[in-house]
Amino acid sequence: MAEQVTIFFYGLFMDPEALEAKGLRPREVRQAYVERFTLRLGKRAALAASRGGRVYGTIMRLTHAEIDHLYSDPSVAAYRPEPVLAQLADGSGELALCFNLPTPPDEASSNPEYATALQAVAR
């Protein structure tokens, strides 16, 4: 079996059904959050450092090949992996990779269509 990596997703990729529709097999999907970030919306979601921030999402396990496939799409090709400590509901933490833009959208950016889709996934 191929090695699996824990990923923290905070945008539309946090929906395991959407990933399955792309041919991926997300495993061990759990709700989580990361501290010291805030969510910014541009064309897609991104994280920005924020001393008192918290961003909710999911962690799951994917293989390296699945991650490469997912981030080969031109719409997310600029995202880069960085390590985060994802906090779980039981109070534990788990190291995860989080793909983020090197330069997040500015605070004035918005994307109402993406925000509506993200709210539906978050429910």
Side-chain angles (χ1 to χ4, degrees):
M1 176 183 261
E3 182 181 352
Q4 298 172 9
V5 178
T6 301
I7 306 285
F8 174 77
F9 289 119
Y10 52 87
L12 296 181
F13 288 163
M14 69 179 158
D15 180 0
E17 292 175 4
L19 296 181
E20 288 169 359
K22 294 178 177 290
L24 308 179
R25 291 186 45 233
R27 299 152 195 90
E28 300 178 40
V29 179
R30 296 170 282 163
Q31 293 180 343
Y33 63 87
V34 293
E35 300 278 5
R36 297 186 176 148
F37 289 99
T38 188
L39 186 68
R40 298 255 180 96
L41 296 182
K43 288 183 183 178
R44 298 186 70 101
L47 299 180
S50 174
R51 185 171 287 199
R54 178 181 284 184
V55 175
Y56 291 88
T58 59
I59 61 170
M60 60 187 76
R61 296 185 59 77
L62 296 173
T63 66
H64 287 283
E66 289 172 320
I67 295 165
D68 290 345
H69 173 74
L70 186 61
Y71 284 94
S72 68
D73 186 279
S75 68
V76 292
Y79 284 72
R80 297 293 176 252
E82 56 188 53
V84 295
L85 180 60
Q87 303 292 328
L88 303 170
D90 67 5
S92 67
E94 188 165 335
L95 289 175
L97 280 183
C98 176
F99 282 75
N100 198 18
L101 289 173
T103 304
D106 62 43
E107 291 182 53
S109 295
S110 69
N111 183 337
E113 290 175 11
Y114 190 94
T116 298
L118 188 56
Q119 287 173 340
V121 167
R123 286 191 197 109

